[in-house]
Amino acid sequence: MIHLYIKKRNQIIVNKIKEILESQGRTQTWLAKQIDKSYVVVTNYCNNNKQPSIPLLYQIAEVLDVDVRELLQKSKK
């Protein structure tokens, strides 16, 4: 259990899909249906365990009605 906590704490956040879904009151299940992916795949995207391809990132942005840049964490401050 401690190992998982440390892994999450040190995890680099690359996308903000989960954050945007929550702000819109939408679920990962809903997004999975919209982009024709499994719930497990979308969960991996939302938890930043895996990243969607660039074309899929654009599709997600379109479905969520946001600019694709809003889905990404800034790399420079």
Side-chain angles (χ1 to χ4, degrees):
M1 189 82 161
I2 294 172
H3 178 69
L4 291 175
Y5 175 75
I6 292 171
K7 181 179 178 189
K8 288 288 185 188
R9 186 176 180 160
N10 293 333
Q11 184 178 28
I12 297 172
I13 304 300
V14 178
N15 75 62
K16 299 188 292 184
I17 296 170
K18 185 175 185 176
E19 180 182 321
I20 292 172
L21 279 172
E22 289 174 354
S23 73
Q24 293 184 353
R26 300 183 190 272
T27 65
Q28 294 174 29
T29 302
W30 175 85
L31 180 59
K33 288 178 185 176
Q34 300 302 307
I35 63 172
D36 197 29
K37 298 290 181 189
S38 73
Y39 171 80
V40 173
V41 168
V42 171
T43 298
N44 279 321
Y45 296 157
C46 289
N47 292 329
N48 281 283
N49 294 327
K50 292 187 178 183
Q51 297 304 317
S53 66
I54 299 297
L56 184 55
L57 199 61
Y58 275 92
Q59 183 182 358
I60 292 168
E62 185 175 321
V63 166
L64 296 176
D65 194 30
V66 297
D67 187 292
V68 71
R69 293 172 290 188
E70 291 181 49
L71 295 175
L72 302 173
Q73 183 70 27
K74 291 182 180 180
S75 60
K76 293 185 178 183
K77 295 185 181 199

